[in-house]
Amino acid sequence: MKAIKYLILGIGLIFASEAQAQISVNLNVGTPPQWGPSGYSNVRYYYLPDVEAYYDVQSSNFIYYSGNSWVHRKQLPKRHRSYDLYNGYKVVMTDYRGKTPYNYYKEHKRKYAKGYKGNYQKTYGNKPGKGNYKSKGKSNGGKHKGKNN
């Protein structure tokens, strides 16, 4: 009788550990970029309407159409390298699960045309070089603090 109880307990522990392992894999998506919208740490993809590209948080790659195929690159194409990722709008793909978000590109392009702006987005980090430092008495956007001001 004891052997059966231990067997059942052992099987139960195996199933419990399997379920926990699956949960930890699903929650460990990747580290969002500093320019990513805060509050969405478990999302894998953003759609960037202004450059008609996706960003894969898990692999830290941009996905965009080049030539006649979709490519995965660490940077945007040259024509968009000056694009401000901190101020550009990111559509958070909360309803998509898979590896090819561009399968819905035509729908995303129609629904979120260039220039699309949804609700205000706060980013995870601050934009480099924009009021994130104090030096030689300058702060608050370059306004001087001192006795004469």
Side-chain angles (χ1 to χ4, degrees):
M1 190 69 163
K2 273 188 173 181
I4 293 174
K5 286 182 183 180
Y6 286 127
L7 181 62
I8 292 172
L9 179 64
I11 292 171
L13 289 173
I14 290 171
F15 283 115
S17 66
E18 290 287 325
Q20 260 186 337
Q22 288 178 350
I23 291 170
S24 65
V25 168
N26 289 335
L27 293 178
N28 188 11
V29 174
T31 304
Q34 291 295 299
W35 51 264
S38 67
Y40 298 98
S41 58
N42 293 329
V43 172
R44 181 168 178 182
Y45 297 104
Y46 310 138
Y47 175 64
L48 310 171
D50 292 336
V51 295
E52 298 178 334
Y54 295 90
Y55 182 77
D56 182 347
V57 175
Q58 187 175 25
S59 68
S60 300
N61 278 320
F62 292 94
I63 305 169
Y64 55 88
Y65 200 73
S66 179
N68 59 358
S69 65
W70 288 92
V71 295
H72 298 245
R73 301 286 186 265
K74 291 291 180 189
Q75 295 182 334
L76 287 168
K78 287 181 183 180
R79 69 183 177 274
H80 295 302
R81 294 258 169 92
S82 63
Y83 178 70
D84 185 353
L85 292 165
Y86 283 88
N87 289 327
Y89 195 79
K90 282 75 68 179
V91 177
V92 181
M93 311 299 296
T94 57
D95 59 348
Y96 178 75
R97 303 288 180 265
K99 295 183 179 182
T100 54
Y102 46 83
N103 285 343
Y104 300 96
Y105 174 68
K106 287 181 181 178
E107 180 182 335
H108 295 150
K109 185 177 177 179
R110 179 186 49 75
K111 191 173 180 180
Y112 312 109
K114 287 183 181 183
Y116 175 84
K117 299 286 184 209
N119 294 331
Y120 169 77
Q121 291 179 327
K122 181 179 180 347
T123 58
Y124 279 102
N126 293 321
K127 184 176 179 179
K130 291 290 183 184
N132 299 329
Y133 66 94
K134 292 181 182 178
S135 65
K136 297 184 181 183
K138 291 185 179 183
S139 64
N140 297 332
K143 294 179 183 176
H144 294 280
K145 287 185 175 182
K147 294 178 184 177
N148 298 332
N149 290 359

